[in-house]
Structure formats: structure tokens, C-alpha cells
């Protein structure tokens, strides 16, 4: 079974689940999911928690031994396994398959006494890991909870849900301010809402009151810069680049992501000019449905000549970033974002500023 974070509470209320697979990179959802699952289990009498971490040299047989052993302290146990990497190797694969098969057999033949809950969690699973036999077996007898970033359009709904839980009363304009300040950083936003709850209880919190307390903690990654660029929001791209520079991210990571996207746009625009349909391109480049509006905008608003110029400029930026410390690479990347939509304005400008 596969569910999403907003279905967790309802799923827990439907009955006992022996295995939970919680994988993803969004920290607030991960912390919240794990604590919610454990709290529900503890209410059902699972009072003992055994933790394992699959670091280098981990003995996978311990999981099978722990499952088969009798508890010295409680009749019901939670066995939590934190994956340091989803690449578990041959030994891990064999042990996890053996454990999953044993658990499946016990459940099928009603030898399973509902006295053990497994919680496996780690970073986002890639395709090959999600296709491993052990993962498929556990998914069949348990619940897979993938964790994804909350999209900007869903942030308002997420904040409203948290406010209901915390009995917070926010002025409408304050919600929008929080979205702008904490985009991409749910963990910090959740902590900020908890702080406001402690300070104001159920009183209405105005924009003026919050502005004196709230600190900007938006957190971005290079792929969010790419998405904003596809939508043509150059101002937001520049704001994100500024934030990433302050965080000390390596420029090479951003250059790589932008180069990959600009090269793909160049190929797609060329193919459109040759008569291919946009739907054919979506299929060829494996563009997901949720990302099609981004490419629809980019492919109808970006000129092929501007993409060619952007490709030349990003090659120059890459070279400058590796051979010179005189130039602010983030300013050059801001120039690149503008070039993709306004190449006629940047064509005459030299990159040699910083």
C-alpha cells in the first residue's frame, strides 16, 4: 500500500499495519510522520523501541534475530531501522528479503501476533531501490509513505492545517508573508508557528506583530531555480540565487542544473521548429504531467536565438568559475537567467563584471 503524508492519520485509524516504509528528503514531513506513527503505536501498547542504523559494517542478521527473539521488557516492540543509504548491498538485500518473506509467511499462516512493528526510513528512494524485491515484499504487507516537498501552491493549505492544530489565529496577509519567507523550509516554518502559538495563544496575530519576530529562513535548491526559470520568473530566480550564495552552496551544482536544462530546451525548441509536436517532446524527454505547464510556458516564451546565447554564456560562466576568483559567479548566473528571456538586452553586455 502507498499513501501520502496527508493520508497518514486516516490510515493509522483504519487498523494495525506491521511495516512502515518512510522515505524522502523533506525533513518536517519525515519527523512528523515518524513521531505520528510511533505515538499511534504507543497508544496501542508498543512500549519498547529498538533502534538500528545501517551504517558501514552493519550486521543485517541483527534484524532477523531481533524479530525472532522474545522481548525482555515488553510484549510489543517497535523496531526502527534508519537507512544511512538506500544502496544496501548484497548482504542487505538478502537479509531484508529473508525478513520480509518470514514476516509475510507468519502473517499468512496467522503466526504473527501483532506484537512487532517495523519502521524503515531514509532518504528518497531511487527507481532501482524501489524495484528491489525486499521493498516490494514489505510494501505488500505494509505501507509505503514517500515524502515530497510541499509545492508553493499548497503552502497556504498546509499553514491553515497547522494553525488549526495549534489553535493559531493568523491575519490573512500574514499567511502570505510566511509563505514568502519560509518557502522550501517547512521545518523552520513549523518551528516558527509553534513559537507564535506560545507567544500569542489564540489571539489574532497581525502582520505588524509578526514582522518584529519572524526571521527569513527560506531554503532553496538548484532545481527550484530551474523551475522558476521555466516559468519565466527571473526576479524569483535572482532572489533564490542570492539566498543560495548566502548559504554557501557550490556554484558548480547550480551551473550543472542550469546547463542540463538549457541544453534540453535547445534540443526541444529545435525539434519544434522541425515540426514535432509538444506532446511528442513530452514523451521523448519523459516530462511528468505536473511539470508540463512549466515546459509549456518555457517553450512558448523562449526564443531559440536566446537559448543559443544562453548556452554560450553558461559555458563562459563555467570556465570563469573554474579559472578565476575575480568574478561573482552568482551575479553571472543572474545574467544567464535574464538572457534566456531577454537575450536582446544582454547580448551586448560582457560577463566580465562581478
Amino acid at each position: 500500500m502507498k499513501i501520502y503524508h496527508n493520508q497518514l492519520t486516516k490510515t493509522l485509524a483504519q487498523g494495525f499495519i506491521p511495516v512502515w516504509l518512510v522515505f524522502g528528503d523533506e525533513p518536517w514531513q519525515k519527523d512528523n510522520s515518524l513521531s505520528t506513527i510511533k505515538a499511534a503505536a504507543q497508544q496501542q501498547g508498543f512500549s519498547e523501541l529498538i533502534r538500528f542504523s545501517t551504517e558501514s559494517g552493519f550486521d543485517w542478521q541483527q534484524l532477523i534475530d531481533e524479530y525472532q527473539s522474545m522481548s525482555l521488557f515488553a510484549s510489543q516492540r517497535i523496531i526502527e531501522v534508519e537507512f544511512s543509504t538506500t544502496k544496501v548491498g548484497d548482504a542487505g538485500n538478502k537479509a531484508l528479503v529473508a525478513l520480509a518473506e518470514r514476516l509475510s509467511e507468519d502473517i499468512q499462516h496467522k503466526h504473527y501476533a501483532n506484537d512487532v512493528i517495523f519502521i524503515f526510513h531514509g532518504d528518497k528512494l531511487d527507481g532501482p531501490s524501489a524495484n528491489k524485491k525486499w521493498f516490494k515484499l514489505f510494501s505488500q504487507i505494509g505501507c509505503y509513505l514517500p515524502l515530497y516537498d510541499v509545492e508553493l501552491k499548497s503552502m497556504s493549505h498546509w499553514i491553515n492545517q497547522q494553525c488549526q492544530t495549534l489553535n493559531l489565529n493568523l491575519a490573512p496577509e500574514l499567511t502570505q508573508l510566511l509563505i514568502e519567507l519560509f518557502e522550501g523550509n517547512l521545518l523552520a516554518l513549523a518551528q516558527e508557528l509553534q513559537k507564535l502559538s506560545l507567544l500569542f495563544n489564540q489571539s489574532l496575530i497581525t502582520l505588524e506583530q509578526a514582522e518584529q519576530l519572524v526571521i527569513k529562513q527560506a531554503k532553496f535548491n538548484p532545481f527550484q531555480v530551474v523551475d522558476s526559470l521555466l516559468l519565466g520568473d527571473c526576479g524569483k530566480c535572482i532572489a533564490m540565487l542570492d539566498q543560495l550564495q548566502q548559504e554557501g552552496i557550490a556554484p558548480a551544482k547550480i551551473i550543472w542544473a542550469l546547463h542540463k536544462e538549457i541544453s534540453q530546451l535547445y534540443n526541444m525548441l529545435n525539434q519544434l521548429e522541425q515540426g514535432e509536436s509538444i506532446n511528442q517532446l513530452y514523451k521523448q524527454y519523459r516530462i511528468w504531467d505536473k511539470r508540463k505547464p512549466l515546459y509549456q510556458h518555457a517553450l512558448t516564451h523562449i526564443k531559440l536565438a536566446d537559448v543559443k546565447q544562453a548556452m554560450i554564456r553558461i559555458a563562459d560562466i563555467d570556465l570563469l568559475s573554474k579559472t578565476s576568483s575575480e568574478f561573482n559567479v552568482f551575479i553571472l548566473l543572474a545574467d544567464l537567467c535574464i538572457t534566456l528571456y531577454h537575450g536582446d538586452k544582454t547580448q551586448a553586455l560582457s560577463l566580465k563584471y562581478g
Side-chain angles (χ1 to χ4, degrees):
M1 177 171 60
K2 178 180 178 180
I3 66 167
Y4 298 99
H5 181 266
N6 59 359
Q7 301 170 302
L8 177 57
T9 302
K10 182 179 179 181
T11 303
L12 284 165
Q14 291 174 351
F16 178 80
I17 295 175
V19 177
W20 289 90
L21 302 150
V22 183
F23 290 90
D25 298 328
E26 205 295 299
W28 178 83
Q29 289 187 62
K30 181 173 289 185
D31 289 347
N32 180 264
S33 299
L34 294 177
S35 61
T36 300
I37 294 167
K38 291 175 191 175
Q42 288 166 357
Q43 289 179 356
Q44 297 170 19
F46 288 79
S47 56
E48 185 178 0
L49 175 62
I50 298 112
R51 288 193 177 97
F52 294 98
S53 178
T54 66
E55 296 176 350
S56 179
F58 178 69
D59 181 5
W60 291 93
Q61 182 63 34
Q62 292 180 74
L63 299 182
I64 300 173
D65 294 343
E66 182 60 44
Y67 170 62
Q68 294 176 337
S69 68
M70 295 292 291
S71 173
L72 298 176
F73 304 102
S75 59
Q76 294 174 298
R77 293 167 290 160
I78 302 170
I79 301 176
E80 179 182 354
V81 184
E82 179 178 7
F83 284 66
S84 59
T85 173
T86 54
K87 309 291 186 183
V88 299
D90 290 340
N93 280 317
K94 290 177 181 178
L96 288 168
V97 167
L99 175 62
E101 289 177 340
R102 176 64 184 272
L103 194 55
S104 299
E105 185 178 342
D106 287 349
I107 292 172
Q108 183 179 355
H109 293 92
K110 299 183 179 180
H111 296 151
Y112 185 76
N114 289 10
D115 58 357
V116 175
I117 292 177
F118 280 95
I119 303 176
F120 300 99
H121 64 91
D123 294 337
K124 181 180 177 181
L125 284 175
D126 57 18
S129 297
N131 284 321
K132 292 292 186 183
K133 184 178 179 179
W134 66 266
F135 185 80
K136 290 183 176 180
L137 286 171
F138 280 129
S139 296
Q140 290 170 4
I141 59 176
C143 186
Y144 172 36
L145 179 57
L147 306 175
Y148 302 108
D149 289 336
V150 175
E151 295 182 350
L152 183 60
K153 64 182 180 182
S154 302
M155 284 280 286
S156 179
H157 178 67
W158 183 88
I159 290 175
N160 290 336
Q161 286 184 319
Q162 297 308 303
C163 287
Q164 289 178 11
T165 301
L166 297 169
N167 291 319
L168 261 177
N169 188 7
L170 303 183
E173 61 271 20
L174 177 53
T175 297
Q176 186 57 43
L177 174 67
L178 292 173
I179 292 172
E180 292 175 4
L181 295 181
F182 291 90
E183 182 184 351
N185 197 354
L186 279 192
L187 187 59
L189 177 52
Q191 293 170 348
E192 201 70 31
L193 291 174
Q194 289 172 353
K195 182 177 75 176
L196 292 174
S197 175
L198 292 172
L199 292 172
F200 292 93
N201 294 317
Q202 298 182 34
S203 301
L204 176 67
I205 308 172
T206 66
L207 181 63
E208 291 75 17
Q209 289 171 316
E211 282 179 332
Q212 300 176 27
L213 298 168
V214 176
I215 302 171
K216 183 174 182 179
Q217 297 183 64
K219 193 174 182 66
F220 302 110
N221 61 57
F223 301 105
Q224 288 171 293
V225 178
V226 167
D227 287 354
S228 293
L229 189 59
L230 291 173
L231 287 172
D233 194 341
C234 296
K236 187 170 184 178
C237 290
I238 293 170
M240 287 180 172
L241 289 170
D242 179 61
Q243 184 72 19
L244 290 168
Q245 181 180 14
Q246 293 179 39
E247 293 173 8
I249 190 169
K253 293 182 179 180
I254 307 173
I255 292 171
W256 177 85
L258 289 172
H259 181 270
K260 179 176 179 292
E261 200 64 45
I262 291 170
S263 297
Q264 180 169 297
L265 286 172
Y266 175 75
N267 292 331
M268 294 174 84
L269 285 168
N270 263 322
Q271 290 174 255
L272 283 174
E273 281 204 349
Q274 294 167 12
E276 290 197 38
S277 71
I278 196 167
N279 287 327
Q280 288 175 315
L281 296 182
Y282 288 157
K283 184 176 181 180
Q284 178 182 344
Y285 292 96
R286 298 181 180 179
I287 307 299
W288 307 335
D289 286 344
K290 64 181 292 186
R291 294 183 61 78
K292 287 178 181 178
L294 279 67
Y295 283 93
Q296 177 73 34
H297 181 278
L299 294 171
T300 53
H301 288 80
I302 296 175
K303 301 174 184 175
L304 185 58
D306 289 344
V307 180
K308 290 178 180 177
Q309 186 178 330
M311 290 180 69
I312 294 170
R313 290 180 97 80
I314 198 168
D316 291 340
I317 292 170
D318 187 37
L319 181 62
L320 284 169
S321 71
K322 294 173 180 175
T323 59
S324 175
S325 60
E326 297 179 11
F327 306 105
N328 186 327
V329 176
F330 289 87
I331 293 179
L332 305 185
L333 289 170
D335 172 285
L336 175 71
C337 294
I338 296 170
T339 294
L340 203 57
Y341 287 88
H342 308 284
D344 56 326
K345 294 181 173 62
T346 62
Q347 187 171 11
L349 301 176
S350 167
L351 282 177
K352 296 188 179 297
Y353 56 85

